[in-house]
Amino acid sequence: MFWLLLAVSYLIGSVPTALIVGKLFFGVDIRELGSKNPGATNTLRVLGKKSAVFVLLIDLGKGALAAYLPLFFHLSAEPLYFGLAAVIGHCFPIFAGFRGGKAIATTAGALMIADLPLLLIAYVTFFFVILLTKYVFLGSISVGISLLAYDLYSVRLDFELIFLLFFILLIYLHRSNIRNFILGIEPKINDKSLKND
Ligand code: G3P
């Protein structure tokens, strides 16, 4: 049951929301536009507010639904594992050639069910960093840093390892943002100009 639900969680996360919205309603492949990231931020950038809110909610829902699976089936296993399986699906989706998003919305959904205090710590930091810097990717990386920092007080070895791997994954997924930032061409949240890297 554990492995089956983990696989189902990965498949739930693999549903490429931004890609579907782009193709269905705009006839475009979002992976060819803006930052080329099939996530809510790039959807806002290239497809507009309504689509971005829709993508954000569905991507959140994927993480939450996956984290809820063990509770629904009365499985005594950590909901975070399933939420993070959906995050892996979101980042490396089997339904979209393994070219997915950058984890942030789906992780929020997973934490919503798995660990509310962690959600608050990580995502208050996320919004605070974006408010201060106007760079979404810095907010996203700060999610990984705050989870790692929280880990210092945690007694759970599995969480410590998971959040370390998660932080490394975030840096990998945001490598083009980091490079663009160094080159001075990373767009701020209110910048509509498209990147063509
Ligand atoms: O959560 C996604 C964000 O960190 C970066 O998105 O489209 O600017 O690469 P984007």
Side-chain angles (χ1 to χ4, degrees):
M1 188 67 152
F2 178 88
W3 292 106
L4 179 67
L5 289 189
L6 215 55
V8 170
S9 300
Y10 168 77
L11 293 177
I12 291 171
S14 281
V15 174
T17 320
L19 189 66
I20 293 171
V21 168
K23 289 216 164 161
L24 216 57
F25 299 110
F26 299 87
V28 297
D29 184 338
I30 193 159
R31 294 170 308 176
E32 303 302 330
L33 298 169
S35 68
K36 302 176 180 173
N37 176 41
T41 307
N42 200 35
T43 302
L44 175 67
R45 199 177 282 130
V46 299
L47 303 180
K49 264 186 206 154
K50 274 189 204 158
S51 304
V53 170
F54 180 77
V55 168
L56 178 67
L57 291 178
I58 300 295
D59 284 351
L60 269 170
K62 293 190 302 186
L65 179 64
Y68 188 67
L69 285 179
L71 304 173
F72 185 80
F73 288 101
H74 304 290
L75 191 73
S76 63
E78 181 54 61
L80 187 65
Y81 294 167
F82 302 87
L84 290 182
V87 173
I88 298 297
H90 176 75
C91 299
F92 307 101
I94 194 166
F95 305 130
F98 300 99
R99 286 174 62 200
K102 295 185 181 176
I104 296 304
T106 308
T107 301
L111 288 175
M112 214 174 266
I113 300 296
D115 201 321
L116 215 49
L118 259 187
L119 172 80
L120 289 177
I121 290 167
Y123 284 82
V124 165
T125 311
F126 172 76
F127 286 115
F128 192 65
V129 169
I130 295 175
L131 204 69
L132 279 183
T133 67
K134 305 279 184 282
Y135 286 110
V136 179
F137 88 99
L138 283 180
S140 301
I141 289 175
S142 79
V143 168
I145 294 173
S146 41
L147 291 178
L148 267 182
Y150 176 85
D151 251 8
L152 296 176
Y153 300 97
S154 157
V155 286
R156 296 213 34 183
L157 199 64
D158 55 346
F159 276 27
E160 286 184 25
L161 187 66
I162 284 173
F163 291 146
L164 180 62
L165 292 175
F166 182 70
F167 177 68
I168 294 169
L169 176 71
L170 276 186
I171 296 294
Y172 171 75
L173 293 171
H174 288 86
R175 62 197 184 286
S176 68
N177 304 88
I178 295 168
R179 194 199 60 208
N180 287 341
F181 181 69
I182 292 168
L183 294 175
I185 56 169
E186 174 67 13
K188 294 191 171 184
I189 188 165
N190 44 2
D191 188 349
K192 288 270 180 278
S193 68
L194 304 185
K195 289 182 296 182
N196 287 307
D197 55 329

